Each structure stands twice: as C-alpha cells, then as structure tokens.
Amino acid sequence: MTAPTSSRGDAGTAPARATATALPAVTATFWIIKVITTGAGETASDTLGHHLAPPVAVAIAGALLVVALAAQLTVRRYVPWVYWSAVTMVSVFGTMAADALHVGLGMPYVTSTVLFAVGLGVVLGAWWLREGTLAIHSVTSRRRECFYWATVLATFALGTAVGDLTATVFDWGYLASGAVFLVAISVPAAAHRWLGLGAVPAFWIAYVLTRPLGASFADWGAAARAAGGLDIGAGIVTVVLLALIVVLVARLTLADRREALDRRG
C-alpha cells in the first residue's frame, strides 16, 4: 500500500535527510513484522509488569525506547534492525502508557480510547499542517520522522485501548477480538483498491488496526484457560514472538546487504 506525496513542505524542511528515507517500503513483510511486534509489545509489557514494580518497568521501557529512537534518528537510511528495534520498543512503551491510565488511574477503556483517538488526530493534524503530507515515503527529514514516530506511538496507545475495550468491556474475549480485527484490517485495503480510498488514510487505518490484531492473538496465547486463552504464558509468548522478529529482520538485513553489494558490483 503506497502513499502519494504532496509537494507542499518538501523544500526547505529540516536537514539530515534531503533525498532518502530511513523507513521501510510497505510490503507484505512490513505488515507481518508489524503485527508480530504488536503482540510482542503486549506480552512483554505484561511480563515486565508481573516481575517488576510498575514505575521500574516503565522507566526501563522508557529508557530503551529513548535509546532505540535515538539510534533510528541517527541513521541516514533504512537499517532493518535499527528500525524494527524502535518499533518494538514503541510497542512495549505504548502498551504501558495505555495500561497505566486504566490500571494506575482507573480510567475506563472507553475514555482512554477516545483520549488516544483525539491525541492521534492532533498529531496527524499537526503533521499535515506543517508538512502537507502524511505519506511515509515522504519522510526524508528529521522533523518529518519525529512526526512519524509520534504518530506511531499514538497508534500503539490507541490500538491497545481499542483491543482491551473489545476484549473486556464488550466481552468478546481475545480470540473473537482477534478475528474481528483480522477482518477489519482487510477493509481499508479493499476500500483503497476498489472504492477509491486514498493510500495515505488506508495505510494509517490499517496501521492502527495492527495493534489490537496482534495484541489480541498474543493475549489469547498467553492468557489462562479460565480467561479463554491457551495458557502458554506471557513470558513464553514474548520469547517466541521476539525470536520471529529476529529471524525476519535478519532476512531483511541479509537482503539489504546483498542489494548493496549488487549496486557496488
């Protein structure tokens, strides 16, 4: 799913990346890894929360997020392991941020869903007003990339709240929620292909839906049987999903290196 760019804001933007983007192409592999990171973020957050005091867990996740984003903002081209490390840490921290409002402050999931939806709208609106485009392949400056990562963090928080809303408040459970989101994520793609929905809104709608999709199935695997899950455990699910991410990112890295060698040869 590609996205058209706008000429507005392309010239005279922040320095550092004038012609290249440090973000990946939107391919099937992109969506697969993205969904896996959402599940890993959900169960990793649960695992850290069970073994560490919440403030300590949040501090650790926040510190790792800062390191991962700093590394991503430093590179001048797409480096698979750097990019997906940042996405994974955004997933973990975004999950904690959403859970903190409910568990720590007692905010209902309906309220947090609305709050994060408004927050996402504000970030996207500010990005559009400043740059004139929300297409990810137009992210060729550090300022645009900051907008991008702020949007990604907001989508993870919103997706977490939506997934918890359907699983607990609507009482659909994890498996049924995952099935609903699996169907829902095909809607923007179909609307883009056959109904004329723009590539940019189709991308961001699908991007938001990856979060509750991956998290619902991860929670289904981790949760106890009494809660409708497979009782595998959050720790084991986290390890398995992280291993899958490592394998897929390693393949991308090897392909990237082969492509670089071909260009030189």
Side-chain angles (χ1 to χ4, degrees):
M1 196 183 297
T2 58
T5 60
S6 166
S7 60
R8 177 184 166 198
D10 286 346
T13 54
R17 297 194 186 117
T19 59
T21 179
L23 306 184
V26 181
T27 63
T29 302
F30 170 89
W31 291 112
I32 291 170
I33 301 178
K34 174 61 172 65
V35 171
I36 295 174
T37 62
T38 66
E42 175 72 17
T43 53
S45 175
D46 291 342
T47 301
L48 289 173
H50 289 155
H51 291 86
L52 299 172
V56 175
V58 172
I60 291 175
L64 292 175
L65 174 61
V66 170
V67 171
L69 287 179
Q72 171 63 25
L73 292 171
T74 299
V75 298
R76 293 174 179 260
R77 64 180 183 85
Y78 169 54
V79 181
W81 74 267
V82 175
Y83 175 83
W84 289 110
S85 294
V87 172
T88 300
M89 288 315 306
V90 169
S91 177
V92 175
F93 189 80
T95 301
M96 289 182 171
D99 288 343
L101 292 181
H102 178 72
V103 178
L105 301 180
M107 181 179 292
Y109 286 127
V110 173
T111 304
S112 60
T113 297
V114 172
L115 177 65
F116 287 128
V118 171
L120 176 59
V122 169
V123 174
L124 288 173
W127 184 359
W128 170 259
L129 289 174
R130 187 64 185 85
E131 303 295 336
T133 176
L134 302 177
I136 69 166
H137 65 252
S138 73
V139 179
T140 54
S141 70
R142 183 162 291 124
R143 183 173 60 222
R144 288 187 178 183
E145 192 166 359
C146 288
F147 275 121
Y148 171 81
W149 286 107
T151 302
V152 170
L153 182 58
T155 65
F156 272 101
L158 174 59
T160 299
V162 171
D164 289 335
L165 178 70
T166 61
T168 59
V169 178
F170 294 172
D171 200 26
W172 293 355
Y174 299 122
L175 181 58
S177 292
V180 168
F181 290 120
L182 185 60
V183 173
I185 202 171
S186 67
V187 173
H192 170 63
R193 182 169 183 178
W194 291 299
L195 300 178
L197 179 65
V200 172
F203 171 83
W204 286 113
I205 292 170
Y207 200 94
V208 171
L209 290 171
T210 60
R211 179 62 184 84
L213 171 63
S216 294
F217 283 115
D219 277 334
W220 175 56
R225 294 188 185 277
L230 298 179
D231 201 20
I232 297 175
I236 295 176
V237 171
T238 301
V239 170
V240 170
L241 294 179
L242 289 177
L244 285 174
I245 294 171
V246 169
V247 169
L248 291 171
V249 172
R251 291 184 59 187
L252 290 176
T253 301
L254 290 175
D256 185 58
R257 289 178 179 175
R258 284 196 297 267
E259 183 179 342
L261 289 174
D262 289 342
R263 287 196 301 266
R264 293 173 186 173

